[in-house]
Amino acid sequence: MMGKIGVWLVGARGSVATTAIAGAAAMRAGLAARTGCVTELPDFAGADLPGLEDLVFAGHDVVDTPLVKRAEHLAAAGVLPSTLPAAVTAELEAAEARLRPAPAEGGRSAIDRIVADLTAFRAGLDHVVVVNVSSTEPPCAPHPAHESLAALEGALDTLPSSAQYAYAAFRAGCGFVDFTPSTGARLPALDELARTAGLPYAGRDGKTGETLLRSVLAPMFAQRALNVLSWSGTNLLGGGDGATLADPGAASSKNASKQQVLSRNLGREVDGEVHIDYVPALGDWKTAWDHVLFEGFLGTRMTLQLTWQGCDSALAAPLVLDLARLTGKACREGVAGPVAEFGFFFKDPAGDGPHDLASQYAALREWAHR
Amino acid sequence: MMGKIGVWLVGARGSVATTAIAGAAAMRAGLAARTGCVTELPDFAGADLPGLEDLVFAGHDVVDTPLVKRAEHLAAAGVLPSTLPAAVTAELEAAEARLRPAPAEGGRSAIDRIVADLTAFRAGLDHVVVVNVSSTEPPCAPHPAHESLAALEGALDTLPSSAQYAYAAFRAGCGFVDFTPSTGARLPALDELARTAGLPYAGRDGKTGETLLRSVLAPMFAQRALNVLSWSGTNLLGGGDGATLADPGAASSKNASKQQVLSRNLGREVDGEVHIDYVPALGDWKTAWDHVLFEGFLGTRMTLQLTWQGCDSALAAPLVLDLARLTGKACREGVAGPVAEFGFFFKDPAGDGPHDLASQYAALREWAHR
Amino acid sequence: MMGKIGVWLVGARGSVATTAIAGAAAMRAGLAARTGCVTELPDFAGADLPGLEDLVFAGHDVVDTPLVKRAEHLAAAGVLPSTLPAAVTAELEAAEARLRPAPAEGGRSAIDRIVADLTAFRAGLDHVVVVNVSSTEPPCAPHPAHESLAALEGALDTLPSSAQYAYAAFRAGCGFVDFTPSTGARLPALDELARTAGLPYAGRDGKTGETLLRSVLAPMFAQRALNVLSWSGTNLLGGGDGATLADPGAASSKNASKQQVLSRNLGREVDGEVHIDYVPALGDWKTAWDHVLFEGFLGTRMTLQLTWQGCDSALAAPLVLDLARLTGKACREGVAGPVAEFGFFFKDPAGDGPHDLASQYAALREWAHR
Amino acid sequence: MMGKIGVWLVGARGSVATTAIAGAAAMRAGLAARTGCVTELPDFAGADLPGLEDLVFAGHDVVDTPLVKRAEHLAAAGVLPSTLPAAVTAELEAAEARLRPAPAEGGRSAIDRIVADLTAFRAGLDHVVVVNVSSTEPPCAPHPAHESLAALEGALDTLPSSAQYAYAAFRAGCGFVDFTPSTGARLPALDELARTAGLPYAGRDGKTGETLLRSVLAPMFAQRALNVLSWSGTNLLGGGDGATLADPGAASSKNASKQQVLSRNLGREVDGEVHIDYVPALGDWKTAWDHVLFEGFLGTRMTLQLTWQGCDSALAAPLVLDLARLTGKACREGVAGPVAEFGFFFKDPAGDGPHDLASQYAALREWAHR
């Protein structure tokens, strides 16, 4: 299909993916406003991005609940409007037909399966962008084979699943986006592969709540010469992500990204812990409380507290669509390696870009129009 | 005194002024870090601003409690470090000797007295900057004589006190800064006078808490295409400013500035009220609670809440010092009229500048180095 | 119908009434748990209260949207479970058939109409309880005719609508509950009528959020000998009640009840304002923020902040059912005048009872079992 | 000294002990109001408790900073009024003269030393109450010797320090209060000893913030039949207690007490974690944030959030004085074993009493007057 961009979702039956697919269908049908879609802002008009109507969804998942069922569950939980699933059933079923079971096996043979599925999907599409929205992995143990592409080829089994997807995406000629804190393409060997193959990648860990706030508030303290003494945070999450992050290993990936935003904006390490608690009754909702103790003129101590109450899927899904469109454009233009200008979307951006949201937005807008 | 900048404080015995004078002394003596002073950030190194040691404080007040006593009260209330007043007594007494009683009468004769006091103070100084840190006035009723300098000359009695100070400042060859929401120089006739006289002015209404936060958070919502449905705020204030703002007339000046920051950053009016409550027991401390209801993807409703607990004088005083130094530089360079690049400091900036804090900071930094 | 208690709802098509009727039906059908129903707690087992299945709903409203439609609207807004309206359509239609238009005219003839409607409804029922859940009225201007029943008879036109309902209820031999801050039965003349007629009444102003919290927290401060310096509150409300209370007249009734809980529990007036803001986008949801500044040992100042985010109808409706059952029992037992033991439910309880929630609960439980 | 009650503080140079000693002196001298002192409430008038002027302070500590110095540090940190240390120097020095170094060795010989110090202190006093306000210990490993006094005598080395103090207190004929979450007297063998010796004890873990709030709010949810789905908490603490509780072992003692208050009041286990973070810059201040997710009528989900910002010493010290007076009375009256009526003060009360604050207050008041 001429001009079409394939969006291959890893975790395609999850809340974020389902919301993205259903939401794109709703917007195309004129049933929903484009709220939450950054690339629909006037600032991005004329940027020649792939259109929403150009996105074709497919993907892998380890579970097999049909997308229509998943959408109905999300509607019952108040995540999707109650009438939406019925209104976009046809589009959900069309995507359903393009989903494939995730490889159950690991290593080389899994990678081959992924490459084959991606290659088949690419046929007839302009470009394909692989977007990881599956569960967060524990941090990846360092391994010498991850340092160069040559070394990696003989040690593909050492890659965690998210990195296998990045490897397979580049081998199949696709762009790659990691919306989770997992490893993804963030290994020297995979960066080398992306650059060699002339393919773009972006990530990692979508910035949708506490860290989004930190990326505007930390610069504010810095620009006002206020001295942040501690920055503490507690996140209450239900849903799949909450259960995953209740595992201290997985949580440690996420917490590292969260505190990084502070140290990068404030120019030094800041005291304070970040907790992620699994509260099943919250479902797809999350609550973040942040407490900032800071020192002003003559050492006077003051505080800021924040409570953010958001719906994880509603916050993440439109950014997945934005990233698919932007990475689609990067594929078209032959961008190779990390797209630092996409740092606006991430807690721990790939490439060398600014860390405050305002500069990240300016960089993104400029990139889109260049 | 070669290179000296006079700082004429209107309300020179108030909490903000006393904190600024005592704090400047403490920093000069190496007794306090430069926390809270924007112009001391590395970004402003090499900008050739007047130094802290070049500032000479004087001013008017309607009360006559000595500065040393005021500083002791502030220390007892925890606003100044308990040992500070004793450590900077000499500097407070030196400033004390330069204070003059505010004119008790109004109109022409008050203005003449102010001009005379300012002229006497200017002798031997390079430049003088008048900074209004007195109590907030009710909004000024529109008057045809305020529209042009020619018309104003015969109707000086119609000016509220803050505007009389702006008029007198320009007549006496001084720059003018309004740190309050009062009228100050914000009348066409006074703008004309400043431009004619080749003098700079800036204001109004120092941005030190709730509005500071709004100027980074409103852009965040806009850049993420999130639809703010309502933004409500309650401010609890003790101290002099609280008592003044308990008067609905005075509060209405302040509230207008506060909601403006939202509409200018979000591109439209936003639902929600702002309350200012006088809570005497809070003393110099203030608490602001903001509640933001916003809509994301597919109409999902989410909220952000903030609580800011700050010490008004500690937040305002270092900005007064920054503005004195910056406006001193503007005087030296012959800048005439409003300095839009000082919008970083204000709720309702004079001149035509950006409304988000990040752009305001960039504009200020660039101005300082140009 | 033997043992049946009629519940005559003033404002029968409003959110609270609709939720109460639909909820009672859902619980009777075993479709919903008894969460929120105080009289279903183990503490009330064996108290011989009228059963949920004994309640028969009827009432007046000035609007004519059918109950089924109202329930569908509430379900769409997330106030009722999405599948509930369809499941209880038959019960909603049965209640619908018992609703009558509220008298459009005022004064004597309105009262006669109400008495006639109540009398017709009472036929075949054991007792009838009139429950006012209509919009809040402005405070009632004092009038000499309100001081005694004899004087009132010639001046019925001076009664506000809620008091006309109380008058008519007593004339028709019904108990009366005012769930709003309106006047209701709280006039000496109406108290006299209730006592004369041997009928119970209760009210006023259901305690469902901020004031509920105040009635447990104020006693805590008192019992710990902590000195509350100020207690400030901001309430954000959408929906019909929000719009009504945006009117300063109506709000003043409500605010008086709210601060009363503090002064009665703390033994003195406490500084601090209460704001009620109308935020239409909140719909049936309300958010209350309270800020308490208190002094402890040696004058140390400390603070407590609360944010309560509740659904007004979900909080009020089960209490309406509790009060119908309890007042039904009071009717059966010939209780005359205010039932002080129902103070547990109200911001401004009728009769002479305790003001802390714990004692109110104990009094209620004891009353139920006596 | 006739009628005098000795107060032997374990951790006598800590913030809580220093504040209690200095505060008692200030109140006796008429320099401070009795805010925060429960036994000074009108409800306790006529209860014939030992007077504040009857308390004589002494104790052990492992550090040797003089009390006067400690008080000066606390004043500099804003915990004590700045002029207080100078005003009560004589009383602090008098207490200083009665302090003894804590035994450095462990086991039998430490106990002998404590017994000897207590016995010497008792001479000339009516009664002595030992109050543990030292750092929190990790939970005590179960040991068969702790089950009976007979078994314990041969295994005194197995007791943690707080339990050694309880043992020594009873051997020396003193009452015992554990204001910390440590073991103290909470072992069957020590309970047996107290009963045999005819001595009272109370504890444990003073309820001064988050748990105090929980003990009034959990009953409120229960009495309103609201279904608490999760109750999460984060505590930010500086000072010595914060550092101790940063150790997961010590924190686990405290967290167990905190969640217990919920399960005892709600009748079942409730989901949700409690975090204790050490934030050194907070000094003696602590901030607790609680998030409660609850379900109301028809399953509607609602939330309550709390932020408590308190000064630990100011909250704890007056309760230490209250407990010294009350336990002094219990000694006089020959009460043996746990005083369940003192549960009002504790997170994890000894003995069999109610768990909601209102009933605890009623029980305490009644006990005092019986």
Side-chain angles (χ1 to χ4, degrees), chain D residues 356-370:
Chain D
D356 65 291
L357 193 77
S359 304
Q360 291 175 328
Y361 182 77
L364 179 69
R365 192 182 46 194
E366 196 180 323
W367 183 92
H369 286 288
R370 74 181 184 183

Side-chain angles (χ1 to χ4, degrees), chain C residues 224-225 297, chain D residues 27 34-41 52 318 321-322:
Chain C
R224 280 295 174 97
F297 198 51
Chain D
M27 293 190 292
R34 310 234 155 167
T35 313
C37 297
V38 175
T39 51
E40 295 286 326
L41 287 171
L52 263 180
L321 300 177
D322 286 326

Side-chain angles (χ1 to χ4, degrees), chain D residues 178-233:
Chain D
D178 199 343
F179 206 79
T180 80
S182 301
T183 305
R186 301 292 285 277
L187 297 172
L190 295 174
D191 177 75
E192 187 183 339
L193 176 55
R195 291 178 194 267
T196 308
L199 288 163
Y201 70 88
R204 66 185 170 194
D205 206 2
K207 186 161 67 180
T208 61
E210 188 184 50
T211 313
L212 177 64
L213 290 164
R214 290 176 168 203
S215 72
V216 296
L217 291 167
M220 178 196 83
F221 286 108
Q223 291 169 354
R224 279 296 175 97
L226 298 167
N227 183 22
V228 174
L229 298 173
S230 67
W231 198 311
S232 308

Side-chain angles (χ1 to χ4, degrees), chain B residues 91-350:
Chain B
E91 298 239 20
L92 292 171
E93 284 173 350
E96 180 72 38
R98 288 183 223 106
L99 301 195
R100 298 287 170 268
E105 74 283 9
R108 182 82 238 177
S109 97
I111 290 174
D112 290 345
R113 276 271 312 287
I114 301 168
V115 172
D117 284 348
L118 290 175
T119 307
F121 180 50
R122 268 197 66 190
L125 298 170
D126 250 28
H127 293 279
V128 166
V129 179
V130 175
V131 183
N132 182 22
V133 285
S134 63
S135 295
T136 298
E137 296 166 355
C140 168
H143 191 284
H146 298 171
E147 294 305 307
S148 77
L149 185 53
L152 181 64
E153 292 295 354
L156 289 171
D157 284 3
T158 64
L159 291 179
S161 173
S162 64
Q164 292 186 346
Y165 272 100
Y167 178 90
F170 299 144
R171 281 289 175 219
C174 307
F176 181 80
V177 174
D178 199 344
F179 206 79
T180 80
S182 300
T183 304
R186 301 293 285 278
L187 296 172
L190 295 174
D191 178 74
E192 187 184 338
L193 175 55
R195 291 179 194 267
T196 309
L199 288 163
Y201 70 88
R204 67 185 169 194
D205 206 1
K207 187 161 67 182
T208 61
E210 187 185 50
T211 313
L212 177 65
L213 291 164
R214 289 176 167 202
S215 72
V216 296
L217 291 166
M220 178 197 82
F221 286 108
Q223 290 169 354
R224 278 297 174 96
L226 298 166
N227 183 22
V228 174
L229 298 173
S230 66
W231 198 310
S232 309
T234 294
N235 295 270
L236 311 180
L237 306 179
D241 210 30
T244 305
L245 294 168
D247 173 64
S252 73
S253 307
K254 192 142 203 132
N255 289 350
S257 323
K258 279 169 177 281
Q259 290 301 82
Q260 224 167 55
V261 171
L262 298 182
S263 55
R264 285 180 180 162
N265 274 294
L266 297 173
R268 59 186 177 78
E269 293 300 309
V270 170
D271 237 29
E273 297 178 42
V274 173
H275 304 287
I276 301 187
D277 292 3
Y278 178 44
V279 178
L282 280 171
D284 218 48
W285 289 78
K286 62 183 182 185
T287 295
W289 174 72
D290 264 31
H291 177 278
V292 188
L293 176 68
F294 65 95
E295 197 178 54
F297 198 51
L298 305 175
T300 307
R301 300 207 165 174
M302 304 179 262
T303 60
L304 170 65
Q305 292 175 64
L306 305 165
T307 304
W308 175 265
Q309 295 169 301
C311 175
D312 201 42
S313 304
L315 290 163
L319 306 184
V320 164
L321 300 177
D322 287 327
L323 282 161
R325 296 171 71 184
L326 289 159
T327 311
K329 179 180 161 96
C331 286
R332 280 186 189 160
E333 299 184 355
V335 175
V339 194
E341 291 87 350
F342 295 1
F344 175 72
F345 297 99
F346 298 111
K347 293 194 187 75
D348 176 20

Side-chain angles (χ1 to χ4, degrees), chain D:
Chain D
M1 290 174 276
M2 188 55 186
K4 294 292 182 187
I5 299 293
V7 185
W8 186 271
L9 296 158
V10 184
R13 302 182 191 283
S15 300
V16 173
T18 307
T19 303
I21 300 170
M27 293 190 292
R28 289 197 279 230
L31 301 171
R34 310 234 155 167
T35 313
C37 297
V38 175
T39 51
E40 295 286 326
L41 287 171
D43 273 347
F44 292 85
D48 197 25
L49 296 171
L52 263 180
E53 62 290 346
D54 296 326
L55 303 182
V56 179
F57 298 98
H60 273 161
D61 207 309
V62 292
V63 300
D64 55 9
T65 323
L67 280 174
V68 171
K69 267 268 162 293
R70 287 290 293 126
E72 285 165 3
H73 292 162
L74 290 170
V79 177
L80 295 180
S82 58
T83 55
L84 189 65
V88 299
T89 299
E91 298 239 21
L92 291 170
E93 285 172 350
E96 181 72 39
R98 289 183 221 107
L99 301 195
R100 297 287 171 270
E105 73 283 10
R108 182 82 237 177
S109 99
I111 291 174
D112 290 345
R113 275 271 314 287
I114 301 167
V115 171
D117 284 348
L118 290 174
T119 307
F121 180 50
R122 269 198 65 191
L125 297 169
D126 251 28
H127 293 279
V128 165
V129 180
V130 175
V131 184
N132 182 22
V133 285
S134 64
S135 294
T136 298
E137 296 167 355
C140 168
H143 191 284
H146 298 171
E147 294 305 308
S148 77
L149 185 53
L152 180 63
E153 292 295 355
L156 289 170
D157 284 2
T158 64
L159 291 179
S161 172
S162 64
Q164 292 186 345
Y165 272 101
Y167 178 89
F170 300 145
R171 282 288 174 222
C174 308
F176 181 80
V177 174
D178 199 343
F179 206 79
T180 80
S182 301
T183 305
R186 301 292 285 277
L187 297 172
L190 295 174
D191 177 75
E192 187 183 339
L193 176 55
R195 291 178 194 267
T196 308
L199 288 163
Y201 70 88
R204 66 185 170 194
D205 206 2
K207 186 161 67 180
T208 61
E210 188 184 50
T211 313
L212 177 64
L213 290 164
R214 290 176 168 203
S215 72
V216 296
L217 291 167
M220 178 196 83
F221 286 108
Q223 291 169 354
R224 279 296 175 97
L226 298 167
N227 183 22
V228 174
L229 298 173
S230 67
W231 198 311
S232 308
T234 294
N235 293 271
L236 311 180
L237 304 181
D241 210 31
T244 305
L245 294 168
D247 173 64
S252 74
S253 308
K254 192 141 206 131
N255 289 350
S257 324
K258 279 170 177 283
Q259 291 300 84
Q260 223 167 56
V261 172
L262 298 183
S263 54
R264 286 181 181 163
N265 275 294
L266 297 173
R268 59 184 176 79
E269 293 300 310
V270 170
D271 235 30
E273 298 179 40
V274 173
H275 304 288
I276 302 186
D277 292 2
Y278 178 43
V279 178
L282 280 172
D284 217 48
W285 288 79
K286 63 181 182 185
T287 295
W289 174 73
D290 264 31
H291 177 277
V292 189
L293 177 67
F294 64 98
E295 197 177 53
F297 198 52
L298 305 175
T300 308
R301 301 209 163 170
M302 304 179 262
T303 60
L304 171 64
Q305 293 176 64
L306 304 166
T307 305
W308 174 266
Q309 295 168 301
C311 174
D312 201 42
S313 304
L315 289 163
L319 306 183
V320 165
L321 300 177
D322 286 326
L323 282 160
R325 297 171 70 184
L326 289 159
T327 310
K329 180 181 161 93
C331 287
R332 281 185 190 162
E333 299 184 356
V335 175
V339 195
E341 293 87 351
F342 296 180
F344 175 73
F345 296 101
F346 298 111
K347 292 193 188 76
D348 176 22
D352 192 24
H355 298 291
D356 65 291
L357 193 77
S359 304
Q360 291 175 328
Y361 182 77
L364 179 69
R365 192 182 46 194
E366 196 180 323
W367 183 92
H369 286 288
R370 74 181 184 183

Side-chain angles (χ1 to χ4, degrees), chain C residues 36-41 44-45 49 318 321-323 325-326 345 364, chain D residues 225:
Chain C
C37 296
V38 175
T39 50
E40 295 287 326
L41 287 171
F44 291 84
L49 296 172
L321 300 177
D322 287 326
L323 282 161
R325 297 171 71 184
L326 289 159
F345 296 100
L364 179 69

Side-chain angles (χ1 to χ4, degrees), chain C residues 5-90:
Chain C
I5 299 292
V7 186
W8 185 270
L9 297 156
V10 184
R13 301 182 190 284
S15 300
V16 173
T18 307
T19 303
I21 299 170
M27 292 190 292
R28 287 196 282 229
L31 301 171
R34 310 233 155 168
T35 314
C37 296
V38 175
T39 50
E40 295 287 326
L41 287 171
D43 274 346
F44 291 84
D48 197 26
L49 296 172
L52 263 182
E53 62 291 345
D54 297 327
L55 304 182
V56 179
F57 298 98
H60 272 162
D61 207 308
V62 291
V63 300
D64 55 9
T65 323
L67 280 174
V68 171
K69 267 267 160 298
R70 288 291 293 127
E72 287 166 3
H73 293 163
L74 290 170
V79 176
L80 295 179
S82 58
T83 55
L84 188 64
V88 298
T89 299

